[in-house]
């Protein structure tokens, strides 16, 4: 069992946090918004109302003991950069930070992020790689994680028109679909969500389990 912290409990942060819990990890959720903390409290190991950009807060929460930290602060670029710097100073092994644009990502890498993700944006490079993949298009979304990755995949033909509940993906593959890109809109899926041919799926799981998806045909 590993320990992760999520800083910023918006749609993406909440989805990652819940999926990490389902995959038997401990998760500390941090947000300065009282309502968001209350919403996620029952779904994670610990939830704390705190401003991660204030010096000393992360140290008091024991962030340096975490196996990884996901900085998922929304559109406040300055806050996400500062939080990344402070997490880095605590000596965290793996820092994954959400970015809003390429310049933001470049700065995040310079200040210490190990990986940068764009969960709400369709990147042409990833699309090109997906289209070129012979097995339907699978490409790393969070790359070279020590144990866990998020893959962006196009659904196999056998999944199209079926709900996530019907496919029982979590039980069959021990992975979680944490987001679906539907016509440039990021939606958080539930059991009744129907998978369409045009969708791109963001799938979280261990490297070992995600490899099983490469064998899905049709």
């Amino acid at each position: 069992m590993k320990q992760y912290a999520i800083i910023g409990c918006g749609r993406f942060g909440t989805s990652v946090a819940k999926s990490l819990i389902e995959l038997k990890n401990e998760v500390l959720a941090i947000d300065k918004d009282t309502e968001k903390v209350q919403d996620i409290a029952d779904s994670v190991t610990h939830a704390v109302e705190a401003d991660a950009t204030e010096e000393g807060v992360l140290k008091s929460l024991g962030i340096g003991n975490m196996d990884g930290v996901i900085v998922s602060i929304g559109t406040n670029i300055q806050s996400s950069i500062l939080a990344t710097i402070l997490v880095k100073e605590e000596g965290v092994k793996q820092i994954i930070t959400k970015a809003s644009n390429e310049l933001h990502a470049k700065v995040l890498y310079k200040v210490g992020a190990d990986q940068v993700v764009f969960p709400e944006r369709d990147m042409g490079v990833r699309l090109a790689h997906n289209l070129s993949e012979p097995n339907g298009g699978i490409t790393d979304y969070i790359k070279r994680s020590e144990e866990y990755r998020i893959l962006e995949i196009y659904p196999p033909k056998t999944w199209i028109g079926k709900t996530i509940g019907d496919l029982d993906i979590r039980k069959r593959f021990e992975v979680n679909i944490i987001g679906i890109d539907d016509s440039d809109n990021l939606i958080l899926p539930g059991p009744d969500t129907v998978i369409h041919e045009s969708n791109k799926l963001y799938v979280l799981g261990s490297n070992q389990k995600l490899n099983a998806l490469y064998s899905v045909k049709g």
Side-chain angles (χ1 to χ4, degrees), residues 20-206:
L20 284 171
I21 286 289
E22 290 177 355
L23 292 165
K24 311 303 182 186
N25 297 282
E26 293 185 353
V27 174
L28 168 64
I30 305 167
D31 201 291
K32 63 180 180 180
D33 187 306
T34 302
E35 186 175 346
K36 289 181 179 179
V37 172
Q38 291 174 344
D39 287 343
I40 200 173
D42 292 336
S43 303
V44 296
T45 312
H46 300 289
V48 178
E49 181 183 345
D51 186 347
T53 65
E54 291 185 1
E55 193 169 356
V57 168
L58 296 181
K59 183 181 290 294
S60 70
L61 294 173
I63 287 294
N65 297 321
M66 297 291 168
D67 293 290
V69 173
I70 295 88
V71 180
S72 183
I73 295 174
T75 57
N76 191 324
I77 294 176
Q78 181 177 339
S79 292
S80 72
I81 293 170
L82 181 54
T84 301
I85 292 171
L86 294 175
V87 171
K88 185 70 173 180
E89 289 179 350
E90 293 302 311
V92 176
K93 301 174 184 177
Q94 184 182 28
I95 305 171
I96 300 166
T97 305
K98 174 183 172 180
S100 57
N101 55 56
E102 292 290 349
L103 180 58
H104 185 195
K106 184 180 294 187
V107 174
L108 290 169
Y109 277 123
K110 287 184 178 295
V111 300
D114 297 298
Q115 292 115 21
V116 174
V117 297
F118 296 84
E120 296 169 344
R121 197 181 88 179
D122 178 24
M123 295 179 65
V125 171
R126 276 193 265 141
L127 177 59
H129 280 291
N130 282 339
L131 293 173
S132 69
E133 288 289 338
N135 61 354
I138 299 179
T139 181
D140 279 348
Y141 181 61
I142 295 179
K143 298 182 180 180
R144 295 182 293 277
S145 170
E146 292 180 2
E147 183 174 353
Y148 290 93
R149 287 183 294 166
I150 298 174
L151 294 183
E152 179 189 87
I153 71 171
Y154 281 102
K157 292 181 180 179
T158 53
W159 292 10
I160 296 170
K162 297 180 181 179
T163 67
I164 290 176
D166 290 336
L167 293 167
D168 204 8
I169 292 169
R170 185 159 71 92
K171 184 175 181 180
R172 288 171 59 198
F173 296 102
E174 297 183 43
V175 300
N176 289 275
I177 297 177
I178 65 171
I180 296 179
D181 187 340
D182 182 28
S183 300
D184 293 327
N185 293 316
L186 181 70
I187 62 174
L188 301 183
D192 297 327
T193 302
V194 177
I195 295 176
H196 301 286
E197 185 175 4
S198 60
N199 291 158
K200 283 176 286 185
L201 315 177
Y202 300 121
V203 188
L204 171 67
S206 69

